[in-house]
Amino acid sequence: MINSQLNKTLEYYKTAIDRLKAAGTSIDTDQVLEVLNARNAVQVALKDATFISTSRLKQLLELDAELRKQAGQINKVIKAEQFALWRESIHLPAEAWWWKLENLTPPHKWNSLDWLWKGLVVAGWTANLSLLINIATRFFSGGAGLLGASAVILPSILALLQASSELTKAGKEGFDKLLTKLNIPQHLQE
């Protein structure tokens, strides 16, 4: 009887995985939740089973491997923040790896160049601030008119906005949300 429960949950898991594969690039949230829920049911049935046949164990390992393969497609639809909210709502055990699919996707190859972009940003800030100081001293020493004041104020505001987006947590989160709304891929956001 207990093994029949495991058989049913494995079939449900297989069906959910097959639907996910059939969806291809048009995966939706409901399909992802169905697969994760099916994997939860399999885990509960595994804990209750007294004996697991080799064929069923092999089937489970194949289905888990397929879920890991689909992690990249799933992560295009479900963001890491969403997975974190789901885990928080459900209170899952630590061994529930299938609710942490965002960790299974390898980083994009361009993410290895993030250090270069950050270095260029710092160099740009340095150049911007030094030019700003140079311009400000020249305009204010000769008497600040409307043109001189605007030539100093506008770059100052832009430099402050740029610095706040990089140096403060709230600024960074706001800038990241803006990039996400503009549908800029994660690997290009730096």
Side-chain angles (χ1 to χ4, degrees), residues 42-77:
V42 169
Q43 192 65 28
V44 170
L46 279 173
K47 287 183 180 180
D48 293 340
T50 54
F51 174 76
I52 304 167
S53 69
T54 305
S55 63
R56 288 299 179 187
L57 188 59
K58 184 178 176 186
Q59 181 185 15
L60 173 63
L61 295 174
E62 288 170 357
L63 291 171
D64 282 349
E66 187 59 41
L67 179 58
R68 285 183 178 99
K69 273 191 223 174
Q70 295 293 325
Q73 286 295 84
I74 291 170
N75 288 331
K76 289 179 182 175
V77 176

Side-chain angles (χ1 to χ4, degrees), residues 76 105-114 185-188:
K76 289 179 182 175
T105 305
H108 195 276
K109 62 182 178 181
W110 288 2
N111 285 350
S112 63
L113 297 175
D114 285 353
Q186 182 68 32
H187 64 275
L188 296 177

Side-chain angles (χ1 to χ4, degrees), residues 163-181:
S164 71
S165 72
E166 281 297 320
L167 296 177
T168 64
K169 185 177 179 181
K172 180 74 172 150
E173 289 173 359
F175 191 67
D176 288 344
K177 285 180 185 177
L178 173 67
L179 293 176
T180 303
K181 284 182 182 178

Side-chain angles (χ1 to χ4, degrees), residues 19-189:
R19 284 189 198 137
L20 194 68
K21 283 174 31 179
T25 58
S26 61
I27 295 172
D28 65 8
T29 304
D30 291 341
Q31 291 170 322
V32 174
L33 284 172
E34 181 183 18
V35 168
L36 298 177
N37 191 30
R39 185 57 178 87
N40 280 348
V42 169
Q43 192 65 28
V44 170
L46 279 173
K47 287 183 180 180
D48 293 340
T50 54
F51 174 76
I52 304 167
S53 69
T54 305
S55 63
R56 288 299 179 187
L57 188 59
K58 184 178 176 186
Q59 181 185 15
L60 173 63
L61 295 174
E62 288 170 357
L63 291 171
D64 282 349
E66 187 59 41
L67 179 58
R68 285 183 178 99
K69 273 191 223 174
Q70 295 293 325
Q73 286 295 84
I74 291 170
N75 288 331
K76 289 179 182 175
V77 176
I78 310 297
K79 301 299 177 204
E81 299 83 22
Q82 186 66 44
F83 275 117
L85 289 172
W86 287 350
R87 286 191 300 266
E88 187 177 304
S89 295
I90 300 174
H91 301 292
L92 297 163
E95 63 269 3
W97 61 266
W98 53 94
W99 285 94
K100 300 172 186 158
L101 293 176
E102 72 273 16
N103 297 336
L104 297 179
T105 305
H108 195 276
K109 62 182 178 181
W110 288 2
N111 285 350
S112 63
L113 297 175
D114 285 353
W115 65 271
L116 176 64
W117 297 117
K118 287 181 182 181
L120 290 174
V121 166
V122 169
W125 283 357
T126 305
N128 188 8
L129 290 175
S130 65
L131 286 173
L132 186 62
I133 291 169
N134 189 4
I135 291 170
T137 56
R138 288 180 188 221
F139 276 108
F140 289 132
S141 68
L146 181 62
L147 182 63
S150 62
V152 172
I153 292 173
L154 184 63
S156 299
I157 290 172
L158 291 175
L160 288 174
L161 288 175
Q162 183 184 21
S164 71
S165 72
E166 281 297 320
L167 296 177
T168 64
K169 185 177 179 181
K172 180 74 172 150
E173 289 173 359
F175 191 67
D176 288 344
K177 285 180 185 177
L178 173 67
L179 293 176
T180 303
K181 284 182 182 178
L182 295 174
N183 291 327
I184 296 174
Q186 182 68 32
H187 64 275
L188 296 177
Q189 288 185 6

